[in-house]
Amino acid sequence: MKGMKRRNAVWTGLLVGVLAGGLGGCGGRETTEPVPEYVFTYAENQAEDYPTTLGAYRFAELVKERTGGRIEILVKANGELGDEQAVVEQLQYGGIDFVRASLSSLSEFVPEVNVLQMPYLYKNSEHMWKVLDGEIGEEFMEIFEGSGLTGLSWYDAGARNFYCTKKPIRKLEDVAKMRIRVQESEMMGAMVEALGGTAVPMTYDKVYSALETGEIDGAENNWPSYESVRHYEVAPFYTVDEHTRVPEMQLISQHTWEKLSPEDQAVIRECARESAIFQRKLWIQRSEASQKRVRKAGCTVVELSEEEKQRFRQAMVPVYKTYCADYMDVIERIEAAGEE
Ligand code: GCU
């Protein structure tokens, strides 16, 4: 498939050359646009104006610039290439070259990464970035080796909160019997069940209509997603409990990675990291704008009290036992980073 795409690109390039030559003879301008050696696809499930998509465009631009146009990356937003897990599988086969994905989706392929998205793990955003930008972040970037994926950079996705269609969650008992959509991640399902709710795993694109039809009573996500895909229209009760911070990653297919020279690999990595710095700035701006927008639209925003937060946190003990028993040393290192 990809070979064909590349041949097509070369063929189109030849055609452009011939046409430009022809036009040149008629007094037209010669094209200086080089023919790319590689044309890669990049999957993104958010909208065109979303911070992660804008980060992807910046990444593609930087790579094109620094390889003199030899590497072209075509960003496909809006989930055009499929839902996250299907896309990640495609990366493993080499059918898609890049993805920006939530760690929750990735945890089904590389379960060790659950450690980085455990409920109530980070005190705040600074704590999480200290971990991801430091030694632990580097170690987890390398953990993808052998999975068919190569990690490139960390993107921000803020903190996730619960939201419901009929009434807000103010205390632990309010979660009881609620059907709450979770990402297709076993650990996230266990988290909702430990709070007393019923977890309903579902892909991102299906959530709006499931909220609308009453198939589920609620879901959970960060401010920009809640606003961008308009879940606030059908689930207007948002409870700020910040139960998880689920970082996101840019990854490249191992197949694609191995085709590249060490020099090109270095450029790709450097551009991914630069685009991440850009994305994190956009993230902060969009989070504020999204919050304002949904409040203005009349949503009820509830801050979970410290006392209740403590009860939610306490309920997570069995989840840590199931998903992190072998990684308690890493959990301790993460916690220690928050104390420094
Ligand atoms: C966030 C994340 C997406 C993910 C979604 C979800 O919006 O950015 O990549 O798919 O959460 O809840 O599924």
Side-chain angles (χ1 to χ4, degrees):
M1 259 279 272
K2 261 190 314 165
M4 212 164 95
K5 262 190 224 132
R6 260 178 233 131
R7 272 199 295 281
N8 279 344
V10 171
W11 175 234
T12 318
L14 283 175
L15 261 182
V16 170
V18 168
L19 285 176
L23 283 176
C26 304
R29 244 177 343 119
E30 286 226 350
T31 175
T32 51
E33 186 79 356
V35 178
E37 188 178 331
Y38 298 106
V39 178
F40 293 139
T41 45
Y42 183 120
E44 169 56 68
N45 73 351
Q46 302 286 7
E48 293 285 354
D49 67 345
Y50 198 83
T52 53
T53 315
L54 298 174
Y57 282 121
R58 170 60 64 95
F59 170 58
E61 221 175 82
L62 289 171
V63 170
K64 188 167 183 178
E65 212 176 274
R66 294 195 192 156
T67 59
R70 273 190 312 103
I71 302 184
E72 185 165 355
I73 298 170
L74 304 176
V75 177
K76 304 284 178 188
N78 292 308
E80 188 188 324
L81 298 179
D83 64 68
E84 263 180 5
Q85 290 203 358
V87 164
V88 172
E89 273 168 28
Q90 284 295 310
L91 255 82
Q92 290 181 314
Y93 297 125
I96 295 174
D97 302 294
F98 292 91
V99 67
R100 186 284 311 158
S102 163
L103 218 57
S104 284
S105 301
L106 295 167
S107 67
E108 294 307 287
F109 299 88
V110 181
E112 292 92 323
V113 301
N114 268 322
V115 175
L116 295 181
Q117 57 169 354
M118 292 306 289
Y120 304 106
L121 176 62
Y122 307 104
K123 281 191 187 158
N124 47 34
S125 167
E126 292 71 46
H127 180 192
M128 183 186 81
W129 284 115
K130 202 164 170 193
V131 170
L132 297 180
D133 287 336
E135 225 173 62
I136 302 178
E138 282 304 317
E139 286 166 21
F140 275 89
M141 197 61 84
E142 281 159 25
I143 227 160
F144 284 84
E145 220 181 290
S147 69
L149 310 162
T150 300
L152 296 173
S153 76
W154 300 106
Y155 267 28
D156 202 354
R160 294 176 77 102
N161 301 300
F162 289 110
Y163 45 91
C164 307
T165 54
K166 295 196 189 76
K167 55 175 190 172
I169 293 174
R170 293 183 193 276
K171 52 184 188 314
L172 190 57
E173 289 72 19
D174 293 336
V175 187
K177 299 201 186 75
M178 267 202 195
R179 291 173 56 78
I180 298 181
R181 178 269 173 171
V182 289
Q183 291 176 274
E184 293 179 297
S185 142
E186 206 188 294
M187 192 280 282
M188 292 301 172
M191 171 188 74
V192 164
E193 304 270 335
L195 293 172
T198 302
V200 184
M202 187 182 287
T203 58
Y204 189 43
D205 56 322
K206 303 274 186 306
V207 182
Y208 185 99
S209 81
L211 288 166
E212 196 177 30
T213 59
E215 182 188 342
I216 50 174
D217 305 304
E220 48 87 57
N221 218 320
N222 51 49
W223 286 106
S225 300
Y226 179 56
E227 175 261 317
S228 167
V229 283
R230 299 180 294 107
H231 289 174
Y232 69 94
E233 291 176 357
V234 281
F237 300 99
Y238 197 82
T239 299
V240 183
D241 76 305
E242 303 199 330
H243 52 270
T244 48
R245 285 185 183 273
V246 180
E248 309 195 336
M249 289 183 92
Q250 284 184 302
L251 303 115
I252 182 170
S253 153
Q254 187 78 34
H255 290 273
T256 311
W257 186 245
E258 282 166 4
K259 268 179 223 159
L260 297 171
S261 66
E263 293 74 26
D264 283 344
Q265 289 180 347
V267 171
I268 296 274
R269 221 179 251 293
E270 163 191 297
C271 297
R273 290 189 180 194
E274 278 185 42
S275 80
I277 295 170
F278 174 70
Q279 186 271 345
R280 289 187 211 172
K281 285 196 190 121
L282 293 182
W283 182 262
I284 295 168
Q285 293 162 11
R286 179 64 181 255
S287 294
E288 281 168 15
S290 295
Q291 251 194 76
K292 277 197 192 130
R293 208 167 291 165
V294 304
R295 283 182 198 268
K296 204 165 160 215
C299 290
T300 303
V301 178
V302 173
E303 299 277 338
L304 198 69
S305 69
E306 258 321 303
E307 201 188 330
E308 279 304 315
K309 219 173 183 179
Q310 198 45 41
R311 294 179 72 209
F312 276 51
R313 215 176 266 133
Q314 196 55 38
M316 293 303 118
V317 173
V319 184
Y320 272 76
K321 280 200 180 125
T322 310
Y323 292 92
C324 288
D326 296 339
Y327 302 97
M328 285 319 283
D329 54 327
V330 188
I331 296 284
E332 276 163 26
R333 282 169 68 205
I334 293 176
E335 282 171 352
E339 302 305 326
E340 282 163 15

